[in-house]
Amino acid sequence: MTTPQAAENSRAAGLMVGSMAFFAVEDLFLKRAAEALPPGEVLMLTGAAGALVFWALAASRGEPVLIRDALRGVPLVRTLAEAAAAMLYIVALALAPLSMTAALLQASPLVVVAGAALVLGEQVGWRRWLSVLVGLAGVLVILGPWQAEFDPTGLLTVGCVLVLAVRDLATRMMPARIGTFQVAAWAYLGLVPAGGLLMALMGHGFVPPTPWQWAGLGGALIAGLFGYYAVVAAMRLGEVSVVAPYRYTRLVFAIVLAMVVFGERPSLSMLIGSVLVVGSGIYAFARERALAKRRSSLETPSFP
């Protein structure tokens, strides 16, 4: 018999898979745009549009955006990390194969596990440390620095993963009084100056988008917003330890889109590395779920 929680977990899993499909489509649109336009310009335009959307959503909930909290402490660190990660990621999308970028991005949860132990003092047992090491070995296999066809553009995504870990750790430390839409609005606002800085660093000027390019940017924004809504709904509806592993379906969608749209053919080493990264990540989630259940059983009082 299906329990209410199991039913909610099933719905949440479906929402998570859907959100990952939307994010993969967003990456597809962004890669197309960043190949035709300066990557910094793409960042500025999508950041401005996303900021307007989330600013309106925050206002509808009575959450002010222009407050001092946004410019100090943990919220500022999170916004800066988001901007830095976006700069690295948009350049990676423009230069590196989509399949490789998506595969390397899957190491992000493992880096967060290591960061939570080293920075926040969370207890991480030897099994999860081992899964982190296996996942990092998978990253090396994907990159293949020992191979003659080594593509250094993959290092951009590795840098992005490291900065994303800073963002996610800052998110855990965010004061409870700050709303989700406030955080999202700040993150998108931060992309505007980040895009301008990237254009200056790369020596690019503004290129007026064509109607088709505007449509592609709009498609990226819409897919990203739907993906964001779905992932938030999934995490609120289901148990995190059950739903979170479905994040890895993003890699499947990305590889299929890369093959169909860009004609990419993932190498054997990339597929093996992806299995190592995804497998170690799923194990880390499963281990955390088992530990959470054990802690819950120990905290439950027993009566004679």
Side-chain angles (χ1 to χ4, degrees), residues 37 40-50 191-192 206-207 209 214 217:
L37 299 170
E41 180 180 332
V42 174
L43 211 57
M44 288 180 65
L45 294 174
T46 54
L191 299 186
V192 178
F206 186 85
V207 178
W214 277 117
L217 290 170

Side-chain angles (χ1 to χ4, degrees), residues 23-296:
F23 284 138
V25 172
E26 178 190 28
D27 285 348
L28 172 64
F29 280 121
L30 288 177
K31 182 172 178 62
R32 283 287 198 191
E35 288 178 341
L37 299 170
E41 180 180 332
V42 174
L43 211 57
M44 288 180 65
L45 294 174
T46 54
L52 289 175
V53 172
F54 282 107
W55 198 323
L57 291 172
S60 69
R61 294 195 171 197
E63 300 175 357
V65 173
L66 298 180
I67 57 177
R68 290 182 179 179
D69 280 341
L71 300 175
R72 62 188 179 189
V74 174
L76 178 60
V77 171
R78 188 196 185 281
T79 299
L80 292 175
E82 183 85 63
M87 290 172 66
L88 291 166
Y89 192 61
I90 195 68
V91 178
L93 283 175
L95 301 179
L98 178 60
S99 55
M100 181 175 71
T101 302
L104 291 171
L105 196 65
Q106 306 312 307
S108 183
L110 295 170
V111 178
V112 172
V113 169
L118 298 174
V119 178
L120 302 182
E122 293 186 10
Q123 292 187 349
V124 175
W126 68 269
R127 293 180 180 85
R128 278 194 292 164
W129 272 119
L130 182 59
S131 69
V132 169
L133 293 176
V134 171
L136 295 180
V139 168
L140 282 176
V141 173
I142 294 170
L143 286 173
W146 52 81
Q147 298 177 359
E149 61 271 21
F150 167 61
D151 187 352
T153 57
L155 296 175
L156 291 167
T157 310
V158 173
C160 174
V161 166
L162 295 175
V163 181
L164 284 176
V166 176
R167 180 204 66 181
D168 290 345
L169 293 174
T171 303
R172 293 191 183 189
M173 302 166 64
M174 195 77 71
R177 67 179 181 277
I178 296 177
T180 301
F181 291 131
Q182 285 175 299
V183 174
W186 296 338
Y188 274 99
L189 280 171
L191 299 186
V192 178
L197 175 60
L198 184 59
M199 290 180 70
L201 291 174
M202 300 183 72
H204 291 155
F206 186 85
V207 178
T210 66
W212 279 110
Q213 289 165 349
W214 277 117
L217 290 170
L221 177 65
I222 292 171
L225 292 175
F226 273 109
Y228 182 86
Y229 173 81
V231 74
V232 171
M235 298 303 284
R236 287 181 172 176
L237 181 63
E239 296 175 281
V240 174
S241 58
V242 175
V243 177
Y246 287 93
R247 287 178 178 270
Y248 291 111
T249 57
R250 181 175 181 173
L251 178 57
V252 177
F253 292 120
I255 289 177
V256 171
L257 289 174
M259 294 176 67
V260 172
V261 178
F262 299 108
E264 296 180 15
R265 293 295 180 265
S267 65
L268 179 61
S269 61
M270 200 210 80
L271 293 175
I272 293 174
S274 298
V275 170
L276 290 175
V277 171
V278 173
S280 57
I282 291 176
Y283 175 81
F285 280 125
R287 182 64 184 167
E288 175 59 29
R289 185 185 184 193
L291 292 175
K293 285 186 175 180
R294 184 181 301 175
R295 287 192 294 266
S296 177

